[in-house]
Amino acid sequence: MSFPNVRLRRLRKSGKIRELLEEVRLSPKDLICPIFVQEDLKSKIQGSSMPGMERLSLGDVVSEVNSIADLKIPAVMVFGIPSHKDEHGTSAFIQNGIVQKTIAEIRKNLGNDIVIMSDVCLCQYTSSGHCGLVRGDKIDNDSSLETLAKVAVSQAQAGVDVVSPSAMMDGQVKAIRQGLDDAGFTDVAIMSHSAKHRSSLYSPFKDMAHSAPQFGDRKTYQLPYTNPKEAMREVETDIQEGVDIVMIKPALAYLDLISMTKSKFNVPIAAYSVSGEYALVKAAAMAGYIDEKEVTLEILTAIKRAGADMIVTYFSKGAAKTLAER
Ligand SMILES: [Zn+2]
């Protein structure tokens, strides 16, 4: 049987009609821009593993965040690179830590003109480079929870809007919620790295943020990429613990999990397009094999199409500029 009257190309015949029919529209408002701030820096330096990304000094933060806000990007995510590491991850929760100072600086200068999010993890701050505290040869879940809650509370005291735990410790959302509430920060939201996978796509970040593990790997706490049901259990557990926004990480190779989360749960979904995804596109673009602007919009639109409500991406500024040009 044929349908001679069905001609889908009718709706593709001009730029304007294609625009009218667009089902998924990427906007700068979908994006969260990560920033790296390094404690001992005098002025910003380029990251060799992530071309176009910089490690900022505290003095660079306000102008950088202003330029992000000017591009209509609604949120930044702060990552700190401390000058001191120890077995307790002390620099992660002290009041004059680099992340705490950065948050306070942004809040003081931008008020509520941008949403301030911050990473809550220990890997940049522990001498082991692991996301939890080490006991013997193991990453100890329950003693890490107490420290993660302290990190979140210290960031809340500095003025953060949303804390984003990425350690993949069991019970981290519950511990952080309890810690925040007990300290009176009932309005600080939690965006958990709910389904954060053990991925080889994090390598450029580990170099950028000085957070590579000094022994072993992260397979005892991060999710295996072979297990979608387990990923959904992680999301479900975070929801039960009171999370505000769940996250799937990485993004591009995990679109099925974003889509699955959207169909199973009624909760805002973030996707984290990670450093390796960025580096792959950058390398191919620098070699002249692809058009970076076009590929970036295609990838970010696909992540949104899969069901992400917001995307943490190193392409935030580039994509926002491209969108503004169109
Ligand atoms: Zn970590």
Side-chain angles (χ1 to χ4, degrees), residues 10-248:
R10 279 182 200 124
L11 302 178
R12 297 175 197 151
K13 70 180 181 183
S14 72
K16 285 296 166 194
I17 199 163
R18 289 193 295 273
E19 223 169 75
L20 186 68
L21 270 287
E22 257 174 23
E23 298 173 45
V24 180
R25 290 199 174 102
L26 186 71
S27 152
K29 292 178 191 165
D30 299 318
L31 307 176
I32 298 165
C33 187
I35 58 168
F36 296 92
V37 189
Q38 185 169 336
E39 192 159 27
D40 50 10
L41 273 190
K42 292 268 177 288
S43 63
K44 60 188 175 186
I45 49 170
Q46 286 286 324
S48 55
S49 58
M50 297 176 69
M53 286 299 293
E54 292 162 331
R55 288 195 203 121
L56 306 173
S57 72
L58 188 59
D60 298 316
V61 166
V62 170
S63 71
E64 176 64 17
V65 177
N66 267 318
S67 77
I68 293 166
D70 287 346
L71 289 164
K72 311 253 185 302
I73 296 166
V76 287
M77 175 163 316
V78 180
F79 288 93
I81 306 162
S83 36
H84 171 76
K85 294 174 193 263
D86 61 32
E87 61 180 312
H88 308 292
T90 311
S91 303
F93 54 81
I94 50 176
Q95 204 48 60
N96 60 349
I98 186 64
V99 167
Q100 290 76 5
K101 284 199 255 185
T102 300
I103 292 166
E105 189 75 0
I106 300 171
R107 180 65 72 207
K108 188 174 92 186
N109 288 278
L110 279 95
N112 285 321
D113 289 345
I114 198 145
V115 177
I116 309 172
M117 301 182 162
S118 53
D119 182 59
V120 175
C121 201
L122 303 181
C123 48
Q124 282 104 291
Y125 307 90
T126 48
S127 31
S128 69
H130 275 289
C131 302
L133 301 176
V134 175
R135 294 280 180 271
D137 59 352
K138 294 208 166 52
I139 317 305
D140 186 61
N141 194 87
D142 294 8
S143 66
S144 302
L145 294 180
E146 205 179 310
T147 304
L148 290 168
K150 263 160 72 174
V151 175
V153 169
S154 71
Q155 295 174 350
Q157 283 162 345
V160 82
D161 293 299
V162 181
V163 291
S164 190
S166 61
M168 286 300 283
M169 294 295 120
D170 288 329
Q172 63 181 13
V173 171
K174 186 177 172 199
I176 289 171
R177 184 72 272 156
Q178 191 71 54
L180 289 170
D181 288 356
D182 289 350
F185 296 107
T186 51
D187 284 346
V188 172
I190 302 175
M191 176 169 81
S192 182
H193 290 52
S194 307
K196 179 178 179 180
H197 293 80
R198 219 299 302 167
S199 168
S200 299
L201 290 163
Y202 303 144
S203 307
F205 176 96
K206 288 184 212 162
D207 177 63
M208 187 81 174
H210 301 166
S211 64
Q214 299 303 303
F215 71 90
D217 54 40
R218 294 182 174 151
K219 286 181 183 165
T220 63
Y221 45 104
Q222 295 181 345
L223 268 166
Y225 57 74
T226 49
N227 294 8
K229 282 195 290 189
E230 193 176 339
M232 291 306 103
R233 287 191 71 195
E234 285 282 7
V235 170
E236 190 173 19
T237 307
D238 278 4
I239 294 170
Q240 287 163 350
E241 290 180 21
V243 80
D244 298 284
I245 302 167
V246 299
M247 183 197 287
I248 308 296

